[in-house]
Amino acid sequence: MTRELLTGNAAAAWGARLAEVDYIPVYPITPQTEVIEALAQWVAEGTLAARLVTMDSEHSMLTAAGAAAATGARVFTASSSQGLVYGLEMLYTIAGWRVPLVLLNVSRALAAPITLEPDHNDVLAARDSGFLQIHAESCQEVLDSVLMAYRLSEHADVLLPVLVNLDGFYLSFTREPVELPSVEEVREFLPPHKAAHGFSASHVLAQGVAVLGGTGYSFFKYQMQRAAEAALTAHDAIAGEFCRRFGRCYGAVESYRLDDADWVIVMSNSFSTVGKEEVARLRARGEKVGLLRLRLIRPFPDQEIEWLLGDRRAVAVIDQNISIGKGGILFSEVASALRGRTPPPLLSFIGGLGGRRFRSEEFDTIMAALHAAENDGGSVEPTLLYSEAEYRQMMEMLRIAQQGSASTPEK
Amino acid sequence: MKLASRIVSRALFLGGLNVQDSPLYGAERRGAPVVAFTRFSQGPIHERGYIEKPDMAVLMDPSLLTHPEAAVLAGLEDTSLLLVNSTHTEHDLRERCQTLARVVTLDITSIALDLLGHQLLSAPMAGFTAKAAGLARWSQVAEAVQMELAEVGLTQDLIQRNLGATQRAYDAAPWVGLSEPRPAPATGVRRPFVIPRLPARIATPVISAEATSLLRTTDGWRVYRPIIERRLCTRCFICFALCPEGAIQLDLQNYPVIDYAHCKGCLVCLTECPPKAISQLREDAA
Ligand code: SF4
Ligand code: SF4
């Protein structure tokens, strides 16, 4: 075990290296490219005994990843944003093949308008594909999650691919101290695996065959659902073992100061660090508030969430994504988990779109809204975290951008 | 089949009824079994898709009667009407397939071959259906044939010839009529089946058994059976090389032998054989 200063991208690459992956199909995209650069360098040096292949697109990259995983190779691949959605068709296909592999996504908001900073519409576009999803908060968690993801993916009850998500910029290019386990320690936690379907040369096998009529299709789809359900139990066991071996413990969700909390703020990914800091600040002011961080997005830990949120005075979900025409995606997911008993008033906030930073006073606003919601139930509409100053700045930019056009915005 | 269903629907529609038609087919190429459904009603139609208990079934390809997986008689009762394109008599057919349904047969294939020169059955089959079930007058059927065939892009000449074939079928068909619609089946609460989680080894769309396509026979697709006459065959192997199904093998003397369970009757072999050593014989399985 050594302690190193690593970016999120480097931590992800180290995860693949320590998992001793066999095959890495790659295609570059900002902010993910560093991951494959690090891996390519190690392969060239001979410090990583893997085959790294540059592909012509993310679609081909994912196809190659799934096909290699079907042969029993341990496969790592990575993408981001436009690349992930370009390969989306293959996410569903590979998951349907029931082959284990780890796909890293470095979150970046989707065009248009095009941008480079993160939000989670890219990774959540893959939400229903059959890939399991782990969302990381820190560089350390990126590395640890990659290792845990292989165990989960290769688990005999699961055999579904796993996507590990980290935020672009806020983790991808951010350096933090990271504990690097030794390859021997990792080998004990993550032994080599064998292909489930025995796909090999000179052996007849048709993978992903057509099934016309709904009976076969329903059967196979629901088997994936059952496997994802089993992944919830498997994840608990894997996380327990990881905790014992390495001393770092990760649940399907993370509770921060929740024990005696009347009010809860729900967040995910790297901005949860900021959220925790704000919760500590509000606590110091006497607010009994806590934070729930969503980590395992698929399978979604409904029961645990119901257990943790069911009896609070009010709950606010902050989504760093937007389902156009509906609102926050994780808000809907949390709301459905709380459908049973009389649920607490539930508020929806949308922030951090395109990497927009959260401001301290916004957590005061959320706190006030939680208090109000206890009495009036709160609004069903999402609230966008956005300031009047930002709005005025936008108007000024639009005025410059559209000078000379008939529709120049008024001051 | 889809076109026949559409022509019948169109004729009913022209007669002022509410109709709904829909086909169901797989990815297999021309010649594979296809099913199409027509519903009609005086009032609005509140159903969709597969008809499990039809008042009438219309069978274009009688060889399907002996294919259990095609299940062409499924859902028929003794009051139902079964119209079959066949050279056999009603009595013969009832005996052979042991159905209680009221059977009416007409040799539509001969009408089509005679007037159209090909096995184009849709329009005459629709004419047969409209008349036998008492669904539409000839003027409505004729208009429906014209509209539907124009929509699929047939030339006026071919449409006119189809009209001739349809009229011959319409005139030749007896009027039998549909019986009263059956009452809707009883419903009831059943406990939902809970599908268990199976090991991924099993619960994955994978085929690892060899040669499973041999289990899928296509002999029922044939209208004509290709027959190789050995004394004319020069053993050039052209039919062996060109059969799209790989249904021709070579015997120990290098003569081609057709696997009739998997020959689909496309007659590529017959067309391509240089010395014309392959002839055709009409299949008449039913
Ligand atoms: S008709 Fe001839 S070419 Fe066509 S499937 Fe049969 S044997 Fe093959
Ligand atoms: S194409 Fe005709 S001549 Fe040639 S092998 Fe076949 S049957 Fe014989």
Side-chain angles (χ1 to χ4, degrees):
Chain A
M1 185 100 70
T2 53
R3 210 167 138 79
E4 262 292 350
L5 209 48
L6 294 181
T7 61
N9 279 346
W14 266 104
R17 175 170 166 169
L18 289 169
E20 298 183 282
V21 297
D22 303 304
Y23 182 64
I24 313 169
V26 299
Y27 191 85
I29 181 170
T30 300
Q32 167 265 157
T33 307
E34 280 183 355
V35 180
I36 60 179
E37 284 172 350
L39 290 167
Q41 194 182 341
W42 291 332
V43 170
E45 285 169 7
T47 41
L48 174 58
R51 180 76 187 259
L52 185 138
V53 181
T54 54
M55 307 300 290
D56 61 358
S57 73
E58 288 84 356
H59 193 280
S60 315
M61 177 187 91
L62 287 163
T63 310
T71 69
R74 186 172 278 165
V75 178
F76 179 83
T77 190
S79 192
S80 175
S81 190
Q82 312 300 134
L84 186 75
V85 293
Y86 186 54
L88 190 61
E89 176 186 7
M90 288 315 296
L91 296 184
Y92 278 77
T93 305
I94 295 168
W97 292 350
R98 303 293 301 274
V99 292
L101 59 88
V102 173
L103 163 65
L104 185 89
N105 183 62
V106 186
S107 264
R108 165 181 149 189
L110 290 170
I114 198 157
T115 189
L116 294 174
E117 287 176 77
D119 68 34
H120 304 135
N121 268 97
D122 61 349
V123 62
L124 291 175
R127 180 188 63 170
D128 307 330
S129 64
F131 269 65
L132 307 182
Q133 291 199 7
I134 300 173
H135 290 207
E137 181 189 346
S138 66
C139 296
Q140 180 74 63
E141 191 178 340
V142 170
L143 173 103
D144 294 343
S145 296
V146 168
L147 299 178
M148 290 171 67
Y150 278 107
R151 273 288 295 272
L152 188 61
S153 187
E154 292 166 7
H155 193 290
D157 292 349
V158 179
L159 284 176
L160 287 168
V162 180
L163 189 156
V164 174
N165 190 66
L166 67 143
D167 283 336
F169 291 82
Y170 295 90
L171 286 189
S172 71
F173 303 154
T174 301
R175 287 206 306 172
E176 290 175 350
V178 172
E179 300 260 1
L180 275 180
S182 72
V183 77
E184 290 78 20
E185 287 172 304
V186 171
R187 248 178 233 159
E188 276 179 38
F189 170 73
L190 183 65
H193 89 110
K194 278 181 65 187
H197 308 300
F199 192 84
S200 59
S202 312
H203 176 85
V204 176
L205 185 76
Q207 181 71 274
V209 297
V211 283
L212 295 170
T215 302
Y217 191 83
S218 306
F219 172 82
F220 289 120
K221 276 287 154 175
Y222 218 76
Q223 287 301 321
M224 292 168 73
Q225 165 71 12
R226 285 281 184 254
E229 288 164 5
L232 211 52
T233 318
H235 178 270
D236 278 354
I238 293 162
E241 187 184 331
F242 192 91
C243 179
R244 280 194 303 282
R245 285 182 185 276
F246 300 102
R248 293 183 296 278
C249 309
Y250 303 96
V253 298
E254 182 194 353
S255 303
Y256 176 77
R257 305 190 74 165
L258 269 195
D259 281 354
D260 63 342
D262 292 329
W263 323 96
V264 183
I265 296 171
V266 180
M267 293 182 78
S268 72
N269 289 280
S270 67
F271 277 126
S272 306
T273 309
V274 175
K276 288 174 189 169
E277 188 59 20
E278 292 299 331
V279 162
R281 181 176 64 80
L282 292 166
R283 277 267 175 183
R285 216 173 67 186
E287 298 284 7
K288 285 172 85 176
V289 59
L291 185 139
L292 180 80
R293 178 168 71 89
L294 302 174
R295 178 173 179 273
L296 198 59
I297 301 294
R298 283 291 177 273
F300 197 68
D302 287 274
Q303 280 186 353
E304 194 172 352
I305 286 169
E306 185 180 22
W307 169 252
L308 287 168
L309 297 183
D311 293 326
R312 312 295 170 167
R313 287 165 72 180
V315 173
V317 181
I318 305 180
D319 269 284
Q320 199 178 346
N321 64 72
I322 182 165
S323 171
I324 305 297
K326 172 63 176 161
I329 294 171
L330 297 178
F331 170 79
S332 298
E333 302 244 328
V334 169
S336 76
L338 295 176
R339 77 216 167 278
R341 297 171 290 166
T342 340
L346 208 53
L347 297 176
S348 173
F349 291 90
I350 291 176
L353 294 185
R356 177 195 179 274
R357 274 169 299 126
F358 289 89
R359 285 157 179 72
S360 204
E361 65 269 20
E362 287 164 1
F363 285 84
D364 294 327
T365 309
I366 292 169
M367 199 62 241
L370 283 168
H371 280 286
E374 190 189 10
N375 301 318
D376 66 12
S379 161
V380 289
E381 282 174 25
T383 304
L384 179 71
L385 299 175
Y386 204 74
S387 70
E388 200 180 333
E390 284 174 287
Y391 179 75
R392 276 206 231 95
Q393 188 191 344
M394 274 314 300
M395 287 304 104
E396 180 57 17
M397 291 202 303
L398 284 174
R399 193 184 61 74
I400 296 166
Q402 294 171 11
Q403 242 157 21
S405 104
S407 61
T408 306
E410 314 251 324
K411 274 295 272 278
Chain B
M1 199 71 234
K2 171 183 170 185
L3 197 50
S5 148
R6 286 189 155 198
I7 293 168
V8 171
S9 299
R10 174 71 69 183
L12 288 159
F13 182 65
L14 293 170
L17 290 162
N18 278 315
V19 297
Q20 183 196 75
D21 59 42
S22 58
L24 199 65
Y25 40 77
E28 282 160 327
R29 55 183 56 229
R30 189 183 172 126
V34 169
V35 61
F37 306 98
T38 295
R39 288 189 168 90
F40 64 95
S41 169
Q42 304 271 8
I45 297 169
H46 296 298
E47 286 174 278
R48 294 217 173 275
Y50 208 97
I51 300 176
E52 291 192 345
K53 292 192 177 297
D55 298 304
M56 166 171 65
V58 179
L59 185 57
M60 266 187 190
D61 179 352
S63 71
L64 291 174
L65 280 168
T66 50
H67 276 244
E69 73 268 31
V72 290
L73 302 176
L76 295 182
E77 287 179 359
D78 51 2
T79 56
S80 317
L81 199 54
L82 174 62
L83 307 186
V84 189
N85 165 29
S86 171
T87 52
H88 289 256
T89 66
E90 281 99 46
H91 179 78
D92 265 15
L93 220 58
R94 274 180 69 128
E95 295 283 287
R96 283 183 68 145
C97 57
Q98 303 207 322
T99 178
L100 296 170
R102 300 177 297 149
V103 180
V104 183
T105 62
L106 195 60
D107 183 7
I108 297 293
T109 301
S110 290
I111 294 177
L113 294 176
D114 192 16
L115 294 180
L116 300 167
H118 288 284
Q119 132 110 348
L120 299 171
L121 304 176
S122 297
M125 203 69 199
F128 171 28
T129 306
K131 170 78 170 296
L135 300 179
R137 291 195 304 277
W138 168 246
S139 62
Q140 290 159 345
V141 176
E143 195 182 344
V145 168
Q146 267 168 327
M147 290 175 78
E148 295 297 334
L149 296 192
E151 197 174 309
V152 295
L154 261 53
T155 60
Q156 263 312 315
D157 171 56
L158 199 47
I159 292 175
Q160 288 311 317
R161 287 197 285 140
N162 264 287
L163 266 176
T166 311
Q167 186 158 25
R168 187 180 292 177
Y170 191 91
D171 292 343
W175 188 94
V176 183
L178 281 180
S179 36
E180 281 301 298
R182 285 181 274 166
T187 55
V189 179
R190 287 189 193 85
R191 196 177 305 151
F193 174 73
V194 179
I195 195 164
R197 177 172 58 78
L198 301 180
R201 225 174 203 306
I202 304 168
T204 304
V206 160
I207 298 174
S208 52
E210 294 188 15
T212 48
S213 51
L214 289 178
L215 301 173
R216 179 73 170 98
T217 56
T218 51
D219 50 340
W221 299 15
R222 281 194 302 269
V223 182
Y224 292 106
R225 173 190 295 246
I227 293 169
I228 298 172
E229 283 169 62
R230 267 191 184 229
R231 57 186 179 82
L232 299 177
C233 173
T234 61
R235 289 181 277 186
C236 72
F237 304 164
I238 285 179
C239 58
F240 165 75
L242 293 183
C243 170
E245 295 301 299
I248 300 181
Q249 282 127 38
L250 300 177
D251 68 10
L252 289 175
Q253 286 91 45
N254 279 336
Y255 278 105
V257 180
I258 296 175
D259 166 12
Y260 286 114
H262 297 96
C263 160
K264 62 181 180 183
C266 66
L267 300 183
V268 166
C269 52
L270 176 144
T271 314
E272 298 295 334
C273 170
K276 302 276 165 249
I278 304 181
S279 58
Q280 62 184 57
L281 184 72
R282 174 127 175 239
E283 291 283 358
D284 208 9

